[in-house]
Amino acid sequence: MAAAVIFQALSVAFVLLLSFRRVDGWSQAHATYYGGSDAQGTNNGACGYTNVFSLGYGTMTTAVSSPLFNGGKVCGACFQIQCAGDSACRSNVITVTATNLCPQGSYGGWCDSPKIHFDLSQPAFSQIANVVAGHVSLQYQKVNCARTGGIRFYVQGHTYFIQVLVYNVAGAGDVTAVSIKGSKTGWISMSYGWGQNWQTGTVLDGQALSFMVTTSDYRTVTSNNVAGSNWQYGQTFQGSQF
């Protein structure tokens, strides 16, 4: 029994090693696509982005399998990808933003853990391969994101529960910590909710709001008094940028 358990553990470790192996600085993975030719069907999902089109992410987006999704912590990160070794490949190198999860048990089993997989929007897939192929091998690497304007804070909830969707984050793109401060409080560390939603139970009604955002590269940017004391739930505010 012990030998069987050890063998199984070694087998899983070997598969993980294959999934993450690097070629000339790039990691290897696979890609499929979902949604229509205009990317309809990809506009929201497990990252909490209400509409990736209206939030500025456009159609160059992707869902990723669980090992990359990391419980939602990768949301907003950018990946440079290129098709590799398939007859359907195009020579383009593109950058996509992680905006959704490709869940375990998805069609074809490509997103089943521990596989590293990108389920691209169809417009993104068509940039790197002929869509008729449906599935290709690719190489990827995490890169910095270029964004227009400041970080956005979409404030939701009610008096005793504030939830803030943080988006349009440049640089590393994926947020690892958020703090909020009212004009009558010190800095309050927000707890992680899901996707890129962060929350607190502190009552901040009637106070101007400031935010502090930290990304996966350990950089922090502070946005002071981005919301005046008359802010309302359901509003979006723009802060500083990396």
Side-chain angles (χ1 to χ4, degrees), residues 84-138:
D86 282 272
S87 60
C89 286
R90 305 188 195 279
S91 59
N92 298 328
V93 178
I94 67 170
T95 299
V96 294
T97 301
T99 58
N100 202 358
L101 168 69
C102 185
Q104 190 88 0
S106 296
Y107 178 78
W110 289 109
C111 291
D112 291 353
S113 187
K115 295 173 183 173
I116 304 299
H117 190 78
F118 291 78
D119 197 20
L120 301 163
S121 69
Q122 188 177 147
F125 188 94
S126 69
Q127 290 291 309
I128 63 167
N130 190 326
V131 294
V132 176
H135 168 269
V136 293
S137 299
L138 61 71

Side-chain angles (χ1 to χ4, degrees), residues 1-225:
M1 177 67 73
V5 171
I6 292 173
F7 177 77
Q8 184 179 21
L10 288 173
S11 298
V12 171
F14 180 69
V15 171
L16 281 169
L17 179 62
L18 290 179
S19 298
F20 284 99
R21 69 188 186 278
R22 301 184 70 81
V23 179
D24 296 329
W26 295 71
S27 296
Q28 290 184 299
H30 293 265
T32 49
Y33 67 86
Y34 74 117
S37 59
D38 58 355
Q40 288 299 323
T42 67
N43 60 320
N44 52 29
C47 285
Y49 302 132
T50 50
N51 186 311
V52 297
F53 310 136
S54 63
L55 298 188
Y57 292 113
T59 61
M60 292 294 106
T61 59
T62 186
V64 295
S65 58
S66 292
L68 277 181
F69 192 68
N70 190 25
K73 298 294 179 64
V74 80
C75 292
C78 293
F79 293 91
Q80 194 174 66
I81 61 173
Q82 59 184 3
C83 189
D86 282 272
S87 60
C89 286
R90 305 188 195 279
S91 59
N92 298 328
V93 178
I94 67 170
T95 299
V96 294
T97 301
T99 58
N100 202 358
L101 168 69
C102 185
Q104 190 88 0
S106 296
Y107 178 78
W110 289 109
C111 291
D112 291 353
S113 187
K115 295 173 183 173
I116 304 299
H117 190 78
F118 291 78
D119 197 20
L120 301 163
S121 69
Q122 188 177 147
F125 188 94
S126 69
Q127 290 291 309
I128 63 167
N130 190 326
V131 294
V132 176
H135 168 269
V136 293
S137 299
L138 61 71
Q139 295 176 353
Y140 74 95
Q141 59 183 348
K142 192 171 183 290
V143 295
N144 280 341
C145 302
R147 304 293 183 215
T148 300
I151 297 173
R152 307 301 207 278
F153 304 93
Y154 174 42
V155 182
Q156 309 162 77
H158 52 76
T159 298
Y160 302 103
F161 177 79
I162 298 175
Q163 179 170 273
V164 179
L165 174 65
V166 183
Y167 67 97
N168 199 56
V169 182
D174 45 352
V175 177
T176 57
V178 178
S179 294
I180 189 171
K181 184 171 77 70
S183 50
K184 300 177 183 178
T185 72
W187 284 106
I188 300 160
S189 180
M190 303 189 79
S191 60
Y192 178 69
W194 61 282
Q196 279 301 351
N197 284 293
W198 299 78
Q199 56 203 36
T200 181
T202 304
V203 176
L204 295 171
D205 290 0
Q207 300 183 50
L209 301 180
S210 301
F211 295 94
M212 187 184 300
V213 174
T214 302
T215 47
S216 63
D217 57 357
Y218 306 105
R219 296 173 65 202
T220 298
V221 65
T222 301
S223 301
N224 289 313
N225 300 316

